Amino acid sequence: TLMTNNLIIIATLLGLLIGLAIGKAWERYKLQEGRWIDRRKARESPHYILGLNFLASNQLDLAIEELTKAAELHPDTLDIHLILGNLYREKGQVSKAIQVHQSLLQRPRLTRLQHAYVLFSLGLDFKRGGFVDRAFEAFSEVVKLDSGNRYALLNLEKLHEEQHQWREAQVLRRRMDEATSDPEGPEDQAIVAFLENELGLQAMRGDALEQATRHFETAIDLNRQTVPAYLNLGDVQLIMGRTEKAIDTWTEMLKMAPDRSYLAFGRLEAAYAESGSPSLFLELCQRLIEANPQDWRARLAVGQYHATHGDLSRALDLLFESLVHNPHALAIHQAIWSTLIKLDFNQNLVRRYIGLTHDAVFYLDPHVCMRCRYRSTELLWQCPQCHEWNTFVEERIAPAEDSEEIPA
C-alpha cells in the first residue's frame, strides 16, 4: 500500500512537471501560418527592446527605425508590425500605417482576437486620415468579432457624434455600459445625459418644443450636473410663455452647479425684468456673493446692472471689487472702460483702476480642456479636439502678492 501511494505521488508530480513544461513552451512558442514561432526570441531582440525604449521616451523616429529593423529580422511576429503601423499613424504617415495593417490582415490563420486587434488599428488609421465610412466599417467589424470591445464601441460613438447622430451615439454608449463591470457608472451617466441634451437641441431647432422639453428633463434626471440641459430647458419654457417655470429651472441650476451660475445671469436678469421684479435679480446675485465671497462674476453682473440703470458710481465700485478677485478677466476691464467713458475718465478713478491692473495679464481664451489642453474663448460642453464631454475649466492666474490698490 505504501509503495502504491508513493507511485501515485510520483505520478502526480511528474504530471505537474509535464504540465508546467507544456505551459512554458506554449507561452514561448506560437503556431503561426503552420510554423512554430519563438515569441521570446523576437522580444529579446535588441532592436525590439531599443524600439520600445525610444517609444517610452516619445522619440518616435528612433522607435520606428529600431522596430523596422526588428520587423525585418522577425517578419512573422505580428506584434512588431502592429506597433510599427501604429507609430506611422502617430507620425502622420497614415497611408503607410494603412498599408502595414492591411498587409497583416492578409495573413492566414490569424486568431479571432488578432484579427480584431489589427482591424481596430486599421480603423484608427482610417479615422486619422478622415476616411469616416471606412473607419466606421472597420470598427463595426471589430465589434462583430469582439462584441465587448469598449474601444471600438467608443470610437464608433465618437464617429456618430462628429456626424451629429446623437441617437446612434447614445445607443452605443448604453451598449458600452452593459459591457462594463460597472454599468451606468457616474461618468457614463453624465455622457448619456449630454447626448440627451443634444437630442433636445435637435428637437428645439425643429420647433418640436414639447419633445425638446422631455429630452432636457430626461438629461437632468440622468445627471443633476448637466448644466446645458437646465439652460436649454429654461429657454424652451420661456419661448412657451412659462416665464416663472424658466426662472425656477435656472435657479435650480444655480443650486446644483454654483460655479456655473454666471451662464444663467443674462437669462435671469431678462426674465425677472419681464416678470416685473427686476430687483430679485440683484437679491439673487447678493446671495451668491455671500455664499462665495470670491465670486467675481456675480459682482460683475450687478455692476453691469447698475451701469445700465445709470448708477455709475455704484457700478464702478462693484466692478473694482470684481477686479480685485480676478484682475486678468478681460470682461471686467471692458465693463470698467465703458463705465469710465461715461464718467469722462475721472482722474482719481482712472488712477485707482491703474493701481488695480498693474500686474494684470489679459487673455481672451481662459477656458482649457483638462484632457488635451485645447483652449477656447467660451465654455464648451464637448471639446472640438479630443471630443470628450464636460472637460473645460476656467484657467485662473493668481493676483501678484505685492500688488496694491492705489487709493482713490
Side-chain angles (χ1 to χ4, degrees):
T1 304
L2 183 62
M3 192 172 189
T4 304
N5 288 339
N6 287 336
L7 285 172
I8 291 170
I9 292 168
I10 291 167
T12 303
L13 288 172
L14 281 172
L16 287 170
L17 288 170
I18 292 167
L20 185 62
I22 292 170
K24 285 291 181 183
W26 183 258
E27 180 187 1
R28 179 165 179 172
Y29 297 96
K30 177 182 176 183
L31 185 64
Q32 187 171 298
E33 300 179 18
R35 291 180 297 165
W36 287 99
I37 305 297
D38 188 345
R39 287 188 281 196
R40 190 181 299 174
K41 187 177 178 183
R43 288 171 184 166
E44 288 175 354
S45 161
H47 297 298
Y48 181 73
I49 294 167
L50 275 172
L52 293 185
N53 285 335
F54 285 131
L55 180 57
S57 59
N58 204 31
Q59 299 180 66
L60 300 190
D61 288 326
L62 292 172
I64 288 172
E65 184 181 329
E66 291 299 330
L67 288 171
T68 300
K69 292 175 183 176
E72 289 168 355
L73 290 171
H74 307 283
D76 298 320
T77 307
L78 183 75
D79 302 359
I80 298 175
H81 291 275
L82 198 59
I83 295 170
L84 195 54
N86 291 339
L87 283 174
Y88 284 135
R89 181 181 65 248
E90 290 305 309
K91 283 289 293 179
Q93 300 175 29
V94 176
S95 59
K96 210 165 184 178
I98 290 172
Q99 185 180 352
V100 169
H101 291 139
Q102 283 183 330
S103 68
L104 292 178
L105 285 177
Q106 303 307 313
R107 292 189 175 190
R109 300 186 183 89
L110 283 177
T111 68
R112 191 180 182 88
L113 203 55
Q114 287 174 333
H115 198 171
Y117 284 152
V118 177
L119 269 173
F120 178 73
S121 295
L122 188 59
L124 292 176
D125 298 339
F126 288 140
K127 186 180 177 184
R128 178 72 177 270
F131 306 112
V132 176
D133 291 340
R134 298 182 75 179
F136 187 87
E137 288 174 12
F139 293 134
S140 298
E141 286 297 318
V142 174
V143 173
K144 286 179 185 176
L145 291 166
D146 180 11
S147 60
N149 192 311
R150 185 177 177 84
Y151 298 107
L153 290 168
L154 179 61
N155 276 278
L156 282 171
E157 180 200 336
K158 293 302 175 187
L159 287 173
H160 280 302
E161 288 177 5
E162 288 168 18
Q163 303 299 312
H164 292 182
Q165 297 168 341
W166 308 114
R167 177 62 69 192
E168 291 84 352
Q170 194 180 59
V171 168
L172 285 162
R173 173 56 60 168
R174 292 191 184 280
R175 187 170 170 182
M176 272 189 282
D177 293 344
E178 293 167 4
T180 61
S181 57
D182 181 25
E184 299 295 324
E187 184 180 349
D188 290 323
Q189 279 280 78
I191 293 171
V192 172
F194 274 103
L195 293 171
E196 194 71 39
N197 176 69
E198 292 296 334
L199 286 168
L201 285 172
Q202 209 168 57
M204 195 175 170
R205 284 190 288 269
D207 291 327
L209 299 184
E210 291 292 349
Q211 184 183 346
T213 298
R214 288 193 293 274
H215 282 303
F216 296 137
E217 288 175 344
T218 301
I220 292 168
D221 288 340
L222 284 166
N223 188 293
R224 307 295 290 179
Q225 300 293 320
T226 315
V227 173
Y230 289 98
L231 298 173
N232 296 326
L233 178 59
D235 290 342
V236 171
Q237 290 166 337
L238 199 65
I239 293 169
M240 298 172 76
R242 304 169 185 171
T243 305
E244 293 300 326
K245 290 203 75 170
I247 290 172
D248 290 342
T249 298
W250 293 325
T251 305
E252 181 65 21
M253 189 216 85
L254 268 57
K255 295 174 186 173
M256 298 307 301
D259 57 321
R260 304 293 194 203
S261 298
Y262 65 94
L263 296 171
F265 283 166
R267 291 171 165 91
L268 283 165
E269 183 180 354
Y272 278 127
E274 185 181 323
S275 65
S277 308
S279 61
L280 292 178
F281 174 68
L282 296 179
E283 292 174 15
L284 174 69
C285 289
Q286 191 56 47
R287 288 197 299 273
L288 290 171
I289 293 168
E290 288 170 2
N292 178 17
Q294 306 297 317
D295 192 339
W296 63 273
R297 290 187 186 274
R299 286 183 173 86
L300 173 62
V302 178
Q304 289 174 318
Y305 177 91
H306 284 303
T308 303
H309 291 80
D311 191 350
L312 299 180
S313 296
R314 177 65 181 142
L316 206 56
D317 284 339
L318 284 159
L319 293 173
F320 283 156
E321 284 180 26
S322 182
L323 196 63
V324 168
H325 293 291
N326 189 2
H328 315 290
L330 188 59
I332 305 174
H333 294 279
Q334 289 173 328
I336 290 173
W337 297 335
S338 177
T339 308
L340 285 172
I341 289 170
K342 294 175 184 176
L343 289 167
D344 296 324
F345 290 104
N346 178 286
Q347 257 191 351
N348 289 333
L349 294 174
V350 171
R351 287 180 70 249
R352 185 179 173 195
Y353 170 63
I354 292 170
L356 286 168
T357 59
H358 184 267
D359 295 299
V361 177
F362 301 167
Y363 54 87
L364 281 169
D365 54 352
H367 299 97
V368 60
C369 174
M370 293 184 290
R371 295 288 177 88
C372 69
R373 309 305 294 173
Y374 180 86
R375 301 187 70 88
S376 170
T377 55
E378 58 182 327
L379 178 65
L380 302 176
W381 302 115
Q382 186 182 30
C383 178
Q385 181 163 288
C386 68
H387 305 292
E388 293 298 328
W389 290 96
N390 203 26
T391 55
F392 277 86
V393 294
E394 186 179 23
E395 193 171 55
R396 294 284 297 275
I397 305 172
E401 290 180 9
D402 58 349
S403 66
E404 295 180 1
E405 181 181 346
I406 295 176

